[in-house]
Structures are given as C-alpha cells and as structure tokens.
Amino acid sequence: MDGKTTSLLRSVRVGLATLTLLACAGAAQAAPAPALVWRAGDGSLAHAPANVDPPASAPLGSVWKLFVYSYLQTTNAQEPVYRCERAQREPGDEYCCEPGESIGRDAALQRSCGAYFEPKRLGLKDADWQRFWAARNAPAWLRPLASLQPATQVPIASLLEALQRVPYGARLAARQALLPNTLRDIGVLDALGSSPRFKTWSWFDAKGERWGGGAGWLADGSPFWFGAPGTGRIALQRNAEMIAAAWNARGLLHAPPDAAALQAQPCVDVNFFSRYPLTQVLRDDNQPAPLGPLAPLSRGGQYALHFANGPKLIVPGQPEFQLTGSLKAPRLQARLPLEDYVARVVDREGDGREVAAARALAIAARSWLRQNSGPAAGADGGCLQVDDDSRAQRVSPRPPTQAARAAAAFTAGLVLTGAPVRYQLDGPQPQVMAWRQTVAASRAGVGVEGLLRDAFPAATLAGWSDESDCEPMPRAAAWLAEREPRWRKVLRAEAGYEPLDNAPQVCALSQGVPHADLRRGRLFVREWSSRDGRVSLIHEYLHLTFRRHPNGRDEAYIERLAQQLADS
C-alpha cells in the first residue's frame, strides 16, 4: 500500500470518526437524558440520577411567567383585567379561559397563560424591572425584560439562584397558586404528593423535539429544576418515580415547611376532651398545674390528666396547649397549625405507618375540618374552631409521631370538595372511608388517589385555598358594593374600622358555617336574598373591615352592628 493510499484511508477514518462524534452530539441534543437538579440545605447543588451529569443550561420555557408573577405579587400591582376574547395559545401554553370569561393572576400562573403575563400588556417598565431584581441580587440574565422569552438559554445553576431570589411572600403565593399542578396526574400525585410546587415548562431542542419539565420550590424553600424529553407534563409523568426516589432518600418529600411558612398556615383552635370533663391536671410532683400554658416540665416530667369518669392520661407539656377554666374544672385547649392538627388526627384515628392509607386519611381529616369547622372567637387572622370529639374528629393530645407528620406533609394543603367527607374504623358505607378497608387496599398496592376515589367517588381533589373553592355570587357582591358607601358614615364612628382597598369577593357556601377569609378578602355565605342572609353577609363583611382591631373578634358587637346596617 503506497503512502497516498495510506494517507487517504487515514483521512477517511478521521472523517468517519468526526461524523460519528457529530452524530452522537446531535443525538444527545435531540434526546437529553432526564435530569433533576436542586439546591440542598447547605447551599450546594445536588442532582439525580447520580451517575449522569445534568445539562449545564436549558431553555427558560414557561418559567419566565413565574418571575413576572413574583414581581406583580411583591409590588402589589393592580394589573388590567384579562378577558379571553378567543382561545389564547402560545407554544407550550395551556388554555387560559373560555371566550368571554376573565382570569385572575393565580389561575393564569397555574394554567400557564402567557398572554396574561405579557410585559407589554402589563405595562412593565424595563428600568423598574431591572431595579427590582438588582436590589435582590438576581442573576444578570433576569434583569432585562427582553430575556423573558421561552427560548432564552439559562445556566441551570443560575436559574436556581434566580428562584432563590424570589421574595419570600411571592414564593408562598406562587406555591399556593401552583398546587393544582400536583393534582392533574395520578402518578405524579401518588409519587410526589403536594410538597414540590412547580411551574411546568416546555420548549424545543436543537432538532425541534420537545423538551420539558418543571421548576419551583420544595416545602422547605429549596429551588429545583427538572428536564426530560417530551412536554413538561409528559416528562413529569414518565419520571415521577425517579424524582420521588431521589427526594425520598433525603426525606425532602416529608420535610416540614420553614418557620415562616408554618406561621402562614391556617390555625386550628381545639377544645380537647369536650365530652369527657377533667377534674384536675397534676404535674409530676403531684401538684395542680397552674392555669395558662401547659409548659414542658424539667427532667422530662409529664402531666397527669384526671377525668371525671375515672381514667387518667399522661401527656407531655406543650406550650401551644392552654389550661383554662378553674383548677377544679379545668379545660384543655390548643391553637395548632393546620398540618400539626392533621398529623394529630392521623395518630388518633389511624396509623401513620400505613403510609398510603395514612396519606388518604390526612386528606380526609383536612377535608372534614374545612367542611365542618367554624371561625374561632378571638382568633387573629381567622383560626378555625373544632372539638376533639368522637362525634367529630379525635385529636391526639400528644405531639405527632414522625410517621403522622410525614403523612400530613406529603399531602399538605389537599382537600376533597364536592361531597361530604366522613370516615370510621370499619364497615364500608357509601361516601364514608373505612380505615381497616383502606389499609387493606393500600397494602394491595392502591395509591392515595385510588383510595380516595373508592371512598368518595363524588368528590374531587383541590387545594385548601384554591381559586376553585369559590363559586362567585356576583349579584351579592354588587349589592354589597352599592351599599358600602352609605355604611361608611356609620362605620367611621366605630373604633377600629378600616375601609377595604378592594371590594371583597362573595362566594357561595354549600357546607359549613358562613365566614370571612381574612387573608384573601373573601366572604362565604349561603344566600343573601332573605334578611337573615343579608345580615350574615354584612356580618362577615364587618369581620374584614375590623380585622386588625379587637372589635373584629367580638361576635356580639359585629352581629349588633350588622343588624343595624341591615335596617339602615
């Protein structure tokens, strides 16, 4: 073989090798491997699968809407109403609303309505936007409004940093708005629960193939990003088990929320042992416990609760518990965060070690509370009030077990709507969950969603504060708005009155007690056509207008004033 031939063959081999490498690189771009990246508690980046390096960067996709939402939320913006004149679709967007309907900020984020968050529609100014994110040390790529494009290529580490820089209040609001995304697919819900809240994203790779996933925050505030072949929803469906395995190994799907998020939870005032009077509560030195907080005792000592019917119960001190009444007729009460309350119900009514069944019970217990509790007297921010009672829900007076806390955390914020929720120990009945049968089904492999569907076929899963929990009553809202200016002359003479910045939303109440949602400015009433109905509507409206004053917690005062306004 002569030198020219050898040289030619060598050139061919090099050329073929080069083509092979280019083809492999193209194939890698066309079919990126599934990758999960998140910021660990120590600030370092973790990823899964552990044996595959995640991509260095990815297209922003629909995640840009999350940053616009956060900006609007933090600046208390009053953006223009968005009304769907026709079906609004953009690449990767979901349907916004029906023609002729309008959509709010939370629903627009959850449905990925790109037209809603379009900076031009909102009148966003580049200088204001840059100043906002620069003040929060956000990455440079986020600061120009022009970067808010789905095709913008962003380093994944920098995207996680940007998510970390979202103001805390906006992050909490976004997590709440995105909760419905966890409910769309059975496999995703059963694998991941409600802890990770994510904005799905989709875009195209170098060969025009779909690439998508999700980005958001875990319950402890850790930001995460996920990407895989397919649209965001398909990518999550196919890889939910992989994501769950990675996070379960580190306890992240059961992690409690951080302290600020815990404070933001609804609170529940519990009257313990409402059917079984106490005669005395003794410390470990056999002395009566003083009225007031049931503080932890030194050296691990516990309290003895003595009942009128004979038995006694030993419980540890817990500062959230209050001893009220008198030393001869004490009563035990507690103000608990919602998920702590749910975990205590799981311990008392079930067994947290039966993982899937306990998760289903946690959702049922939370749903029962939402359907049957009323507002507590004197509750700042509108606590719910409920008895610890076999006719209602029994609540453990001991701190929740780790297994029960995990069941509550995995399902945090999830409730059933559309049907009454009840449960019992045994004996299945229509629209009633039987614990023993639920355990048997869970051991046979039925997931949380299947257990709930079997027990409550007429109910649907929703978020505790989902927008869908409001069935608007526009005529009642209009009636209230028409009369409010007249009432101000009377109300301005009352201590603690504060006019509302925005008209409250009036929602139809199908079950439970009429109440005011102080956080979201909503009134829930049964009807308003009768005088009693109008008094009830005015009553709950007054709770909003006196929300920062003791008068707002004085039921007799509020009712007297509501009667006066109804007759004016």
Side-chain angles (χ1 to χ4, degrees):
M1 189 179 293
D2 60 28
K4 290 184 178 179
T5 304
T6 302
S7 177
L8 178 60
L9 288 173
R10 186 182 298 117
S11 298
V12 170
R13 291 192 192 101
V14 172
L16 288 173
T18 302
L19 289 173
T20 301
L21 289 172
L22 289 173
C24 290
Q29 288 182 339
L36 172 68
V37 188
W38 71 97
R39 186 179 292 276
D42 61 1
S44 64
L45 294 184
H47 71 273
N51 60 343
V52 178
D53 289 335
S57 63
L60 192 56
S62 295
V63 180
W64 68 268
K65 301 163 194 172
L66 194 53
F67 295 109
V68 178
Y69 174 93
S70 301
Y71 176 85
L72 297 174
Q73 197 74 21
T74 305
T75 59
N76 295 314
Q78 296 293 321
E79 64 264 39
V81 172
Y82 182 81
R83 186 173 296 277
C84 290
E85 301 302 333
R86 60 186 184 280
Q88 300 284 349
R89 283 189 183 273
E90 296 180 5
D93 281 355
E94 293 188 13
Y95 193 68
C96 293
C97 49
E98 295 289 342
E101 292 182 349
S102 59
I103 190 173
R105 187 188 299 170
D106 284 4
L109 181 67
Q110 185 265 314
R111 299 181 194 177
S112 198
C113 179
Y116 186 97
F117 294 106
E118 176 58 45
K120 288 183 180 179
R121 187 190 88 85
L122 299 171
L124 301 187
K125 301 289 190 277
D126 202 77
D128 295 337
W129 178 267
Q130 290 192 27
R131 193 179 305 114
F132 178 88
W133 291 110
R136 289 158 177 81
N137 295 317
W141 63 263
L142 180 57
R143 300 182 191 182
L145 274 173
S147 66
L148 300 181
Q149 301 292 334
T152 300
Q153 201 74 13
V154 178
I156 292 174
S158 184
L159 176 58
L160 295 179
E161 177 67 21
L163 290 171
Q164 192 76 53
R165 297 298 177 181
V166 168
Y168 192 83
R171 190 191 314 165
L172 284 182
R175 275 182 55 82
Q176 183 57 52
L178 293 169
L179 177 57
N181 284 352
T182 68
L183 306 177
R184 293 188 301 186
D185 301 297
I186 295 172
V188 175
L189 175 63
D190 281 343
L192 303 179
S194 61
S195 172
R197 308 286 173 83
F198 48 83
K199 174 72 195 73
T200 52
W201 66 271
S202 297
W203 200 239
F204 305 93
D205 63 18
K207 289 198 172 184
E209 300 293 333
R210 279 287 189 180
W211 187 20
W217 302 272
L218 291 164
D220 66 356
S222 301
F224 68 87
W225 174 93
F226 167 73
T231 64
R233 189 168 178 180
I234 290 174
L236 284 162
Q237 289 172 346
R238 291 174 177 169
N239 296 280
E241 292 294 339
M242 181 274 286
I243 298 172
W247 282 338
N248 273 325
R250 297 163 176 81
L252 294 177
L253 293 181
H254 306 137
D258 57 31
L262 191 65
Q263 290 296 319
Q265 285 184 14
C267 49
V268 186
D269 282 357
V270 183
N271 299 314
F272 278 89
F273 315 117
S274 59
R275 296 183 67 189
Y276 302 99
L278 291 166
T279 56
Q280 58 180 346
V281 177
L282 302 180
R283 302 182 313 200
D284 56 352
D285 60 2
N286 220 34
Q287 295 299 308
L291 299 180
L294 204 68
L297 298 172
S298 61
R299 303 179 308 280
Q302 302 195 76
Y303 293 87
L305 311 181
H306 293 261
F307 295 90
N309 60 351
K312 70 176 182 179
L313 180 67
I314 306 299
V315 300
Q318 298 158 81
E320 60 268 36
F321 279 60
Q322 292 279 336
L323 208 57
T324 63
S326 66
L327 293 180
K328 293 185 178 179
R331 295 191 299 272
L332 190 62
Q333 299 174 319
R335 176 163 292 179
L336 306 171
L338 172 62
E339 301 307 336
D340 185 80
Y341 167 86
V342 170
R344 290 172 184 264
V345 174
V346 170
D347 271 337
R348 190 70 178 87
E349 300 276 22
D351 184 344
R353 294 170 295 182
E354 299 287 349
V355 176
R359 292 170 178 173
L361 177 60
I363 293 173
R366 196 179 295 108
S367 305
W368 184 94
L369 175 74
R370 192 168 181 271
Q371 292 179 359
N372 295 279
S373 60
D380 294 329
C383 289
L384 300 172
Q385 187 170 52
V386 68
D387 289 339
D388 161 42
D389 191 329
S390 58
R391 296 168 298 186
Q393 285 191 148
R394 296 178 297 175
V395 189
S396 173
R398 297 186 178 91
T401 63
Q402 189 58 40
R405 287 190 188 278
F410 189 87
T411 63
L414 298 182
V415 294
L416 293 162
T417 62
V421 173
R422 295 188 300 123
Y423 55 87
Q424 58 195 24
L425 177 63
D426 206 351
Q429 299 178 22
Q431 296 297 328
V432 177
M433 174 186 284
W435 171 249
R436 286 176 178 163
Q437 284 72 25
T438 300
V439 169
S442 70
R443 291 178 178 177
V446 180
V448 176
E449 198 277 342
L451 297 174
L452 295 171
R453 186 177 60 249
D454 290 345
F456 309 106
T460 57
L461 273 169
W464 177 277
S465 301
D466 186 4
E467 280 191 356
S468 64
D469 68 359
C470 179
E471 181 183 339
M473 301 175 71
R475 293 178 62 195
W479 181 86
L480 196 65
E482 179 188 353
R483 283 154 179 77
E484 185 186 30
R486 305 183 213 163
W487 296 339
R488 288 182 183 175
K489 297 177 182 179
V490 176
L491 295 176
R492 284 198 176 101
E494 302 291 327
Y497 168 69
E498 292 182 52
L500 300 178
D501 294 332
N502 300 301
Q505 187 175 14
V506 183
C507 309
L509 184 69
S510 59
Q511 305 173 72
V513 181
H515 62 277
D517 184 332
L518 304 187
R519 184 176 66 84
R520 293 183 295 167
R522 289 179 173 178
L523 310 177
F524 288 81
V525 295
R526 292 187 179 279
E527 53 89 22
W528 67 284
S529 56
S530 68
R531 183 183 185 279
D532 286 345
R534 291 191 291 274
V535 169
S536 181
L537 176 59
I538 300 169
H539 182 111
E540 302 309 328
Y541 160 80
L542 291 173
H543 276 301
L544 284 182
T545 60
F546 291 88
R547 60 195 178 281
R548 296 188 181 93
H549 192 273
N551 280 344
R553 301 187 291 273
D554 186 336
E555 289 294 327
Y557 169 83
I558 291 293
E559 179 64 17
R560 186 166 57 251
L561 192 53
Q563 294 281 352
Q564 177 185 343
L565 294 178
D567 293 332
S568 65

